[in-house]
Amino acid sequence: SMRPLTAHPTMLRLSACIIAIAACELAAARGLEEYEPCLDKAEGDSCTLCSPSDVDCIETMVVKVCVEGECTGVSTPTDDEEEEEAAGTCECGWTSTYPCPGTPRRWWQRFAADDGSACFNYCCPKPPPSAPPAPPAPPPTPPFVCETGCAWTDLHPCPGTPKKFWQTYATDDGTDCFNACCPKSPPSPPAPPPPPAPAPPPSIAVSLLALIQAVFRDLPGLLDALGV
């Protein structure tokens, strides 16, 4: 007689696992399709476009809130906008009791704590950042060294230097080697201007006339002194 067919226990457990995994994936797929970001949320509540169960979805950094049932991104105010808004609503009288950090204060006062609020930034503005330091100066250029050396000056001295009667001066060809072996002396300062010419001596006639005038000018006083 034939024995009845029976399933092996291991096959039964494997089939149960496969059915369970398929059921989980089907439930997750239905959850993703039916995800509504603003379901059961009030107007203005925060929301996300990605379902919490969707591990493959990447949420953007934009803040989103529910607006008329839709999850919509909103822009956050900048620091300048917050300070402009604070300019009309903030009172800075508290700085007389708690001075701003870095400002003069009395010995019994404490500085105000920076809480990061727009009112604090409005009443205690931060100084602008200092300019970056200037870059360091480039290293000086090393002096040029002629690869062939300057031994040729023993046969052909540099112009303007002592030489023997049978030697000839080297010719300035404008190369770096010539300038390194025969450095040019700095130009001499210009000569001072010549002094002005002395005034010519007075002539004899002019001197005699001046003497006669002096005698006639002093003659009355001389006669009075002699009692004449």
Side-chain angles (χ1 to χ4, degrees):
S1 62
M2 298 182 60
R3 297 177 57 186
L5 296 176
T6 58
H8 195 274
T10 303
M11 295 297 296
L12 291 176
R13 287 194 293 268
L14 181 59
S15 301
C17 290
I18 294 175
I19 294 174
I21 293 173
C24 290
E25 293 182 352
L26 180 60
R30 290 180 177 177
L32 294 178
E33 293 176 358
E34 297 174 357
Y35 173 68
E36 296 182 7
C38 293
L39 183 65
D40 299 330
K41 290 187 177 183
E43 188 79 4
D45 287 351
S46 62
C47 58
T48 58
L49 293 177
C50 291
S51 172
S53 60
D54 188 357
V55 295
D56 296 327
C57 183
I58 300 176
E59 190 76 26
T60 62
M61 298 299 295
V62 179
V63 178
K64 306 174 189 67
V65 296
C66 291
V67 179
E68 296 181 357
E70 297 291 337
C71 189
T72 306
V74 294
S75 59
T76 57
T78 62
D79 294 339
D80 295 338
E81 292 173 350
E82 290 181 353
E83 291 185 8
E84 290 179 0
E85 183 180 356
T89 58
C90 290
E91 294 290 339
C92 299
W94 50 268
T95 56
S96 59
T97 305
Y98 298 99
C100 296
T103 59
R105 66 180 178 94
R106 296 180 174 86
W107 64 270
W108 49 267
Q109 289 179 318
R110 293 185 301 172
F111 285 124
D114 186 356
D115 57 357
S117 62
C119 278
F120 184 91
N121 295 332
Y122 172 73
C123 297
C124 296
K126 295 178 177 64
S130 57
T141 304
F144 177 80
V145 178
C146 186
E147 295 180 356
T148 59
C150 297
W152 51 267
T153 57
D154 296 337
L155 298 176
H156 301 282
C158 296
T161 59
K163 73 178 183 69
K164 297 179 175 63
F165 72 93
W166 50 269
Q167 291 177 320
T168 57
Y169 283 124
T171 303
D172 185 358
D173 56 0
T175 59
D176 293 334
C177 276
F178 184 90
N179 295 330
C181 296
C182 297
K184 297 179 177 63
S185 58
S188 57
S203 62
I204 297 177
V206 173
S207 300
L208 182 61
L209 179 61
L211 179 60
I212 294 173
Q213 289 176 346
V215 169
F216 278 100
R217 183 176 63 249
D218 297 334
L219 184 60
L222 180 62
L223 296 175
D224 291 341
L226 296 176
V228 177

